[in-house]
Amino acid sequence: MEIKIAHCSDIHIGASISSLENKCYERRNEIKNSFFKIIKKCELEKVQVLCVAGDLFDDTTVTQSDIEEVKNICKNAPFKIVISPGNHDPFTADSPYNSNWPENVSIFKNNN
């Protein structure tokens, strides 16, 4: 049996790039949209599993709006998504991962 797997890491959704000054929010949206493009590309390529290997989010203070957008795009993906929290977005009590995620998303909850 053949399985098609895609991999990405270090997206850093919610990154605050203060050095960009007034273009900071524009860049934040570009970063988030890059993840959405990965999801669409996986769908077009008929990927069965997308592995996100750390730092999908920049830190645990990412906005609830960004988290919900990510959850919604993941929910509509016709494939399994496996997320390994990274050093910028570890699984903690206040982690964006410590909430309800779509059924097709699995999150490693042990930081070891």
Side-chain angles (χ1 to χ4, degrees):
M1 179 169 152
E2 201 173 286
I3 297 174
K4 195 177 242 188
I5 300 172
H7 165 272
C8 68
S9 68
D10 296 292
I11 307 294
H12 291 276
I13 294 171
S16 208
I17 309 167
S18 58
S19 62
L20 294 177
E21 297 173 1
N22 59 346
K23 295 209 178 236
C24 176
Y25 294 106
E26 181 179 336
R27 183 65 183 131
R28 283 175 66 129
N29 283 329
E30 289 171 350
I31 291 168
K32 183 172 49 180
N33 287 331
S34 68
F35 179 68
F36 298 165
K37 287 177 183 177
I38 291 169
I39 296 287
K40 290 295 180 192
K41 182 68 171 174
C42 288
E43 186 174 348
L44 289 171
E45 295 293 327
K46 301 192 181 332
V47 165
Q48 291 146 311
V49 180
L50 171 62
C51 297
V52 182
D55 299 337
L56 175 59
F57 299 108
D58 191 58
D59 59 31
T60 57
T61 62
V62 65
T63 68
Q64 191 61 38
S65 172
D66 282 343
I67 296 167
E68 292 306 316
E69 280 186 81
V70 169
K71 285 181 179 182
N72 284 331
I73 194 92
C74 289
K75 177 178 68 177
N76 294 318
F79 49 84
K80 184 84 172 153
I81 300 170
V82 179
I83 300 173
S84 176
N87 64 316
H88 286 260
D89 62 352
F91 187 85
T92 59
D94 60 346
S95 166
Y97 304 121
N98 197 10
S99 61
N100 291 326
W101 280 75
E103 288 184 22
N104 63 321
V105 177
S106 294
I107 299 168
F108 293 110
K109 296 181 179 180
N110 185 334
N111 288 321
N112 294 324

